[in-house]
Amino acid sequence: ELSQLLCEEIMQRQLDAVDIIAQHQVLTCMAPWIENLNFWKLKDSGWSERLLKSLYYVTWRHGDQFPDEIEKLWSTIASKPRNISPVLDFLITKGIEDCDSNASPEISGAFATYFSVAKRVSLYLARICPQRTIDHLVYQLSQRMLEDSVESMRPSASKADANGNFVLEFSQGPAATQIASVVDSQPH
């Protein structure tokens, strides 16, 4: 509990610091406290997300200026392999939220920044725990692809026949009604 509170305070001070020497010192002293954190136990608490957001923004703001210190923080988190999944889940969720909030079909500067930070963090995690990092990313990607394929197979409201049964785009002829009734009876 003390590590959680102290890390939160340190991150806030680091984000507020204007002196480059103070920023460096804060980043340097943080690693031993982060070592005590178990993100998988705190996954459902708001605290975990707040600290990960702070670490994300510190990585964004100071990743080029203090690359060794930033890598040390993320590497310290990855030293407990069970921390990998909550960190990657946070990054994926942040990316989805950023994408959903951006109405433009083009990749905006904010979205490009997200990819830059997410790629950097994923690399730091993979340097410490490569198999777990890659496995979790592949798992999440396969889940997203599965969700997309299920969504694309669901019939739309405009694809109904005269009886009100839904007709799948790839079906035609008399079998369409049979397929449509099976689709209608499936839970969505």
Side-chain angles (χ1 to χ4, degrees), residues 146-187:
L146 182 61
E147 289 171 5
D148 289 347
S149 67
V150 168
E151 287 295 320
S152 67
M153 291 182 66
R154 286 194 178 145
S156 65
S158 62
K159 302 287 184 185
D161 67 4
N163 297 329
N165 294 318
F166 290 104
V167 179
L168 299 175
E169 290 180 18
F170 58 83
S171 60
Q172 26 177 304
T177 308
Q178 295 169 346
I179 293 172
S181 64
V182 169
V183 169
D184 283 341
S185 67
Q186 298 298 312

Side-chain angles (χ1 to χ4, degrees), residues 10-11 14 20-34 58 66 68-70 72-73 76:
I10 290 172
M11 289 306 298
Q14 204 291 325
I20 193 165
I21 295 170
Q23 291 171 351
H24 181 265
Q25 290 172 339
V26 168
L27 287 174
T28 303
C29 78
M30 214 173 143
W33 293 99
I34 284 185
V58 166
F66 304 115
D68 295 335
E69 291 77 8
I70 298 294
K72 176 69 174 160
L73 295 177
T76 301

Side-chain angles (χ1 to χ4, degrees), residues 25-53:
Q25 290 172 339
V26 168
L27 287 174
T28 303
C29 78
M30 214 173 143
W33 293 99
I34 284 185
E35 193 172 357
N36 296 325
L37 301 178
N38 299 316
F39 285 93
W40 74 91
K41 287 183 179 176
L42 305 167
K43 189 175 181 179
D44 295 328
S45 73
W47 179 88
S48 177
E49 185 175 347
R50 284 194 314 271
L51 183 61
L52 287 171
K53 274 185 182 176

